[in-house]
Amino acid sequence: MDVLRRRLGVSDAVLIGLGSMIGAGVFAAFAPAARAAGSGLLVGLGAAAVVAYCNATSSARLAARYPASGGTYVYGRERLGPFWGYLAGWAFVVGKTASCAAMALTVGSYAWPGHPHVVAVAAVVLLTGVNYLGVEKSAWLTRVIVAVVLAALAAVVVACLTSSAAAAGRLDVGSDTSPGGVLEAAGLLFFAFAGYARIATLGEEVRDPARTIPRAIPIALGITLAVYAAVAVAVLSVLGPGRLAAAGAPLADAVDAAGLASLVPAVRAAAAVAALGSLLALILGVSRTTLAMARDRHLPGALAAVHRRRRVPHRAELAVGLVVAVLAATADLRGAIGFSSFGVLAYYAIANASAWTLRRDEGRPPRAVPVAGAAGCLVLAFALPPASVLTGAAVLAAGAVLYLVRRRSA
């Protein structure tokens, strides 16, 4: 069987995780979360971070044990059985393919609002080509994107917190929130944390994975949480939960309200760059899981090919890029974000269940971690808007039916 080349170190893996997490979500997720939770937005962010930490810990221990492309698809198959691995892979590929298209459309809406689909397709073609050239080039481009986005977010935080429009009282939790609203907000905000899965899906391409992956995942998650918390506090202190909930472009609106309208174009440009970073890492992760599922014949076997010279899953990358380009050209995928969140949470519920089965000598995390992670995933998944829950459950059920049909016809 063809294998991928191990080229990535800790810093590369951390940057790929940051490029996945600190992306378009930080520019867009706070508004719908504020609509759900009101002044309880920061509580929802904390809840999402706790679930993300449990998932990250379980994923890191599993990735060190099974350093192969595929992430929870591999972990579920090895620890729980073929069906659960397949279901995790199905949830990841379908949900994240929709996310890829959504990120591409985000690029288009910021870069050329009058023609978002044209820009979206161009972005998919460009980044599919970058991934095709080799994962180390993807890591290099991700490093540039992360630097640009972090600089822009730092400018937003400083502009807001030093403005006379900022008021600490806007951070107080009031009567406009509820436990259900906080959980819904946590489910929406969790979507923005989920990029550390990209590190695990690259298990076959990092050097010394038993050491690299357990270090890279918590580092990337910790940096992301610090950035999100700083941005949330800064934006809330200027806009308050009500204005934040109604904002179309929350960070740009916050900078404008802080009296720095001249910074708004730079924030919009950074949002487009951030969406590009997310799209780059998403295509990378989906293609690796596609590779793993094709190796096991859950997807067409032709997608399991690895390029002889570049050592990348070139057919899987081209197939994913083609599907995403078609979706980006034809669909309005704003509603797909909720479905993608449901799929991601289902994916991590299986990861936590897999981590529960690890023995102590296999690097098992403390028992409370996978229990809290699995329970948190299920609670947040079913706290999402009803349409997202119904669509997500239906797609997962369809995947299960396809699996059973294939097994019976084999």
Side-chain angles (χ1 to χ4, degrees):
M1 179 178 64
D2 290 334
V3 295
L4 306 179
R5 186 174 299 170
R6 299 190 183 276
R7 305 177 181 180
L8 304 179
V10 173
S11 62
D12 290 325
V14 168
L15 283 164
I16 287 175
L18 290 177
S20 304
M21 288 184 279
I22 305 178
V26 73
F27 291 90
F30 288 125
R35 284 195 290 272
S39 58
L41 172 65
L42 293 178
V43 180
L45 180 63
V50 170
V51 175
Y53 170 78
C54 293
N55 297 344
T57 301
S58 293
S59 296
R61 301 296 179 89
L62 288 162
R65 178 70 180 172
Y66 301 102
S69 291
T72 301
Y73 167 69
V74 174
Y75 316 149
R77 181 190 66 200
E78 296 296 326
R79 307 303 306 193
L80 303 175
F83 171 76
W84 294 105
Y86 165 85
L87 193 63
W90 175 263
F92 184 88
V93 169
V94 175
K96 290 303 183 179
T97 298
S99 295
C100 287
M103 292 301 98
L105 288 168
T106 300
V107 176
S109 64
Y110 276 97
W112 196 3
H115 301 277
H117 293 282
V118 173
V119 178
V121 172
V124 173
V125 172
L126 173 64
L127 296 185
T128 299
V130 170
N131 281 335
Y132 190 92
L133 291 176
V135 68
E136 78 282 358
K137 294 178 178 61
S138 301
W140 178 86
L141 183 56
T142 299
R143 182 180 288 108
V144 175
I145 292 173
V146 168
V148 170
V149 174
L150 287 177
L153 293 178
V156 170
V157 171
V158 171
C160 291
L161 294 182
T162 59
S163 168
S164 60
R170 295 192 177 106
L171 303 178
D172 295 338
V173 179
S175 59
D176 61 335
T177 191
S178 67
V182 168
L183 290 176
E184 181 178 338
L188 294 168
L189 290 168
F190 176 82
F191 174 80
F193 279 110
Y196 51 79
R198 274 2 130 254
I199 301 174
T201 59
L202 296 173
E204 202 171 318
E205 294 166 89
V206 296
R207 299 189 299 268
D208 190 9
R211 173 180 175 273
T212 298
I213 294 175
R215 292 183 62 189
I217 289 178
I219 291 172
L221 179 62
I223 294 172
T224 300
L225 174 58
V227 170
Y228 278 21
V231 172
V233 168
V235 172
L236 269 176
S237 68
V238 171
L239 295 179
R243 291 174 66 189
L244 176 57
L251 271 62
D253 290 356
V255 169
D256 190 36
L260 287 174
S262 60
L263 190 58
V264 171
V267 173
R268 290 186 176 276
V273 173
L276 281 171
S278 294
L279 178 59
L280 175 68
L282 280 167
I283 292 175
L284 195 67
V286 172
S287 64
R288 269 56 182 178
T289 301
T290 300
L291 166 71
M293 295 185 73
R295 283 173 171 173
D296 291 340
R297 305 301 182 187
H298 292 307
L299 292 174
L303 299 178
V306 174
H307 196 282
R308 290 185 178 181
R309 183 164 59 89
R310 302 189 189 281
R311 312 309 301 170
V312 296
H314 57 297
R315 291 181 183 172
E317 288 178 342
L318 291 176
V320 170
L322 177 62
V323 172
V324 174
V326 170
L327 290 174
T330 59
D332 176 5
L333 292 178
R334 286 175 293 183
I337 296 299
F339 158 70
S340 184
S341 296
F342 187 91
V344 170
L345 287 162
Y347 174 89
Y348 281 112
I350 295 173
N352 282 292
S354 301
W356 168 266
T357 69
L358 290 171
R359 301 188 305 270
R360 188 181 300 275
D361 63 315
E362 294 176 316
R364 185 186 70 202
R367 288 292 196 185
V369 170
V371 171
C377 286
L378 294 175
V379 169
L380 296 189
F382 287 97
L384 288 166
S388 298
V389 175
L390 291 174
T391 303
V395 172
L396 290 182
V401 170
L402 288 174
Y403 176 86
L404 294 175
V405 170
R406 191 190 68 85
R407 286 290 299 269
R408 288 183 177 180
S409 62

